[in-house]
């Protein structure tokens, strides 16, 4: 069964912002839309946390012991954003280009 990456924004607040979960679901987009209309919890696994600086790490790294899985009641979901399968690769390439720009900036300052 194919896994699908999603960013799910919930009504749960985290420092005045709605909490977001990034994880894997076995539901494709059409199945996710149907699940949102039901009362059965939606499971996300392999949760990833993205820090303000863009660093990614497993959710369970901060919340041990945590099985890196969550069940979300559809009534508490504000939005669902599907991600491309290789979204982590985009993140890595963005990080590399950003670091290159920062290094070039500092090299310019050095002269």
């Amino acid at each position: 069964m194919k896994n699908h990456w999603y960013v799910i924004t919930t009504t749960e607040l985290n420092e005045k912002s709605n909490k977001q979960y990034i994880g894997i679901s076995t539901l494709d987009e059409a199945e996710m839309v149907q699940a949102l209309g039901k009362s059965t919890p939606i499971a996300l696994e392999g949760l990833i946390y993205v820090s303000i600086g863009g660093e990614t790490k497993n959710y369970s790294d901060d919340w041990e012991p945590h099985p890196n899985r969550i069940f979300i009641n559809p009534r508490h979901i504000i939005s669902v954003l599907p991600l491309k399968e290789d979204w982590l690769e985009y993140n890595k390439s963005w990080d590399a280009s950003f670091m290159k720009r920062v290094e070039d900036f500092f090299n310019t300052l050095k002269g």
Side-chain angles (χ1 to χ4, degrees):
M1 186 169 272
K2 187 174 178 183
N3 291 325
H4 305 275
W5 283 96
Y6 293 100
V7 178
I8 294 184
T9 304
T10 67
T11 57
E12 181 182 5
L13 292 178
N14 184 16
E15 297 181 20
K16 298 182 184 179
S17 296
N18 292 93
K19 190 154 191 169
Q20 291 185 324
Y21 295 95
I22 301 173
I24 298 169
S25 174
T26 57
L27 303 176
D28 65 23
E29 288 184 40
E31 293 168 329
M32 180 64 78
V33 169
Q34 288 180 347
L36 289 170
K38 297 179 181 175
S39 59
T40 306
I42 295 172
L44 274 187
E45 299 196 47
L47 297 177
I48 300 274
Y49 172 75
V50 181
S51 71
I52 293 171
E55 176 190 10
T56 57
K57 60 182 176 178
N58 287 338
Y59 215 83
S60 59
D61 290 347
D62 284 341
W63 286 30
E64 291 292 348
H66 189 287
N68 224 20
R69 180 183 324 114
I70 188 169
F71 297 92
I72 305 171
N73 186 323
R75 291 183 307 203
H76 300 292
I77 294 176
I78 295 172
S79 67
V80 176
L81 173 67
L83 296 173
K84 292 183 177 185
E85 287 180 43
D86 57 350
W87 76 274
L88 284 170
E89 295 304 315
Y90 285 96
N91 188 37
K92 290 176 188 172
S93 67
W94 184 87
D95 286 347
S97 80
F98 177 73
M99 290 305 295
K100 171 106 174 76
R101 283 183 273 154
V102 169
E103 288 170 1
D104 289 346
F105 174 75
F106 283 119
N107 288 336
T108 307
L109 290 178
K110 289 180 186 175

